Amino acid sequence: MRVGVALAILAATTSAASAGGGFDIVVPVRPGVPIIINGVDASYAVIESAMGLARNESLVPTVYGGRPISPEPNVGHYYPSLGRMPGYGRLEIEPPANRRLPKPAESYHESWSAQSAPLPAQSNVPVDPPPVIYAPEFNGPPRPYPRPIPRPLPRGP
């Protein structure tokens, strides 16, 4: 009887421990934003051996049903490091030396300038100007302030 109970407890604990090693289905949170795992778009795909925060083992996840993504950027820009010619734009061709040259362009000249506003006209001094300075009256040195009157100190109880 004890052996049967021990086997039941052992089976119950090992089944809970092996429950985390299954597969996962990846569902992106934002539509249109792919989830890339090892160069494969794993959106709506099945992943086996995925790592998580509770797993302490380093396994490479296997993606089933994903689409491979090219490592080169698929945008309309020219990256010289890729070693390919641009898909559009100016194609540089060296013209032959004996070609007919176009007629020279007409001369063109334009200039700009800036200056201050003219000063106002200077007025002449009036015939009878008003007095300019009035000197203050001086009646000797200032008087000292009156001394304060000493007051008796209050007496305590």
Side-chain angles (χ1 to χ4, degrees), residues 44-99:
Y44 304 105
V46 176
I47 297 181
E48 186 178 37
S49 301
M51 293 175 50
L53 294 175
R55 312 275 314 257
N56 195 15
E57 52 203 42
S58 178
L59 298 175
V60 178
T62 306
V63 180
Y64 298 105
R67 296 182 314 260
I69 302 293
S70 65
E72 298 174 356
N74 191 12
V75 294
H77 304 290
Y78 170 59
Y79 294 99
S81 62
L82 295 179
R84 296 186 313 186
M85 291 292 292
Y88 62 91
R90 183 174 173 178
L91 182 60
E92 296 290 338
I93 299 174
E94 291 295 327
N98 58 357
R99 75 182 195 280

Side-chain angles (χ1 to χ4, degrees), residues 15-155:
S15 65
S18 65
F23 63 90
D24 296 320
I25 297 175
V26 179
V27 178
V29 177
R30 289 183 164 179
V33 179
I35 297 175
I36 309 296
I37 298 175
N38 294 336
V40 176
D41 182 9
S43 301
Y44 304 105
V46 176
I47 297 181
E48 186 178 37
S49 301
M51 293 175 50
L53 294 175
R55 312 275 314 257
N56 195 15
E57 52 203 42
S58 178
L59 298 175
V60 178
T62 306
V63 180
Y64 298 105
R67 296 182 314 260
I69 302 293
S70 65
E72 298 174 356
N74 191 12
V75 294
H77 304 290
Y78 170 59
Y79 294 99
S81 62
L82 295 179
R84 296 186 313 186
M85 291 292 292
Y88 62 91
R90 183 174 173 178
L91 182 60
E92 296 290 338
I93 299 174
E94 291 295 327
N98 58 357
R99 75 182 195 280
R100 196 181 108 200
L101 296 175
K103 71 176 195 176
E106 61 184 49
S107 66
Y108 178 78
H109 178 71
E110 190 170 347
S111 65
W112 292 268
S113 64
Q115 62 184 8
S116 302
L119 295 174
Q122 296 287 331
S123 62
N124 295 332
V125 179
V127 177
D128 187 19
V132 176
I133 297 175
Y134 283 106
E137 295 180 10
F138 182 70
N139 294 331
R143 293 188 294 172
Y145 292 107
R147 282 191 173 171
I149 300 171
R151 297 185 185 206
L153 295 175
R155 296 187 183 183

